[in-house]
Amino acid sequence: FRKSQVNPTLYKYQVHKSDIRTSEIKDHVVSKFNELSMSLVSTPARNTDLNSLNLFVKSFRTGSNYDLHVEPYNKYGPFYLQIFLTDETQGALVLPTQSQADEYLDQHPDQKDAYRENCKLCESQGHPVRYVGTRIVPKRNTAMVMRVGSAHYVEDYTVNTQLGRVCVSGWP
């Protein structure tokens, strides 16, 4: 992972085989994303020849996790997109403040070294880590877009349904 400049963070979720990258849904998602992003960056997201990082379907189930991390801009580009397909009361996406991140790491000391390495990688490429200070609880048909470089993690999740917390995700 480190040679390909991917963050060394531990995570566990299921990616589902789907035709989302060639479907009509993809056209709508990319169009709506471009409406938002074009005022911030001058290059539209691709709508053809998408790869598995650009758009995919994933789910979180009991035991799924995503440690505190930040994606490197040079590998993932400027934005991350997530569309929640289920209503949830748990498994929130947390974008902590600096002090919240420090508290989280105090509670999860096993993540400190990987997170520090992760931050060092991003900062060595000239992209400081952002600390936002928000918590997003999944709500069906709600889209979330964040700048790459924002520290985040997913809170613990226990499955209430067979599929779990399902979402469309990607780095357009």
Side-chain angles (χ1 to χ4, degrees):
F1 281 132
R2 288 161 182 81
K3 287 181 182 178
S4 65
Q5 296 187 332
V6 173
N7 49 309
T9 308
L10 296 177
Y11 61 92
K12 180 181 176 184
Y13 56 79
Q14 181 165 354
V15 175
H16 298 274
K17 187 172 184 164
S18 76
D19 63 354
I20 194 163
R21 288 185 297 280
T22 58
S23 71
E24 291 178 22
I25 293 168
K26 178 259 315 178
D27 295 334
H28 181 72
V29 169
V30 171
S31 173
K32 290 295 183 181
F33 174 79
N34 282 334
E35 285 177 24
L36 174 67
S37 69
M38 287 302 292
S39 65
L40 302 170
V41 294
S42 58
T43 306
R46 284 195 326 238
N47 198 16
T48 57
D49 301 320
L50 301 183
N51 66 46
S52 58
L53 284 179
N54 297 134
L55 199 62
F56 59 99
V57 177
K58 69 179 177 182
S59 66
F60 286 79
R61 299 177 178 187
T62 300
S64 293
N65 67 300
Y66 216 133
D67 291 352
L68 179 62
H69 69 287
V70 57
E71 286 88 5
Y73 181 94
N74 293 8
K75 178 75 175 179
Y76 293 94
F79 298 105
Y80 172 72
L81 164 72
Q82 187 157 304
I83 303 168
F84 300 107
L85 301 180
T86 57
D87 288 316
E88 305 295 338
T89 58
Q90 55 184 329
L93 176 65
V94 179
L95 289 82
T97 63
Q98 174 74 62
S99 63
Q100 290 168 331
D102 292 342
E103 288 174 26
Y104 176 90
L105 291 171
D106 286 343
Q107 295 169 3
H108 301 87
D110 58 314
Q111 295 181 30
K112 282 184 179 182
D113 291 342
Y115 183 67
R116 286 184 182 129
E117 181 181 338
N118 188 201
C119 292
K120 195 178 208 180
L121 170 64
C122 293
E123 291 166 354
S124 73
Q125 297 172 352
H127 301 283
V129 175
R130 286 186 189 84
Y131 294 95
V132 178
T134 195
R135 181 177 178 270
I136 302 167
V137 178
K139 183 177 178 194
R140 185 176 180 191
N141 292 329
T142 299
M144 182 278 310
V145 176
M146 73 176 181
R147 286 221 182 244
V148 166
S150 302
H152 60 286
Y153 65 92
V154 175
E155 291 179 343
D156 290 341
Y157 180 79
T158 302
V159 170
N160 292 324
T161 65
Q162 187 173 355
L163 276 178
R165 190 191 98 180
V166 183
C167 54
V168 173
S169 297
W171 294 270

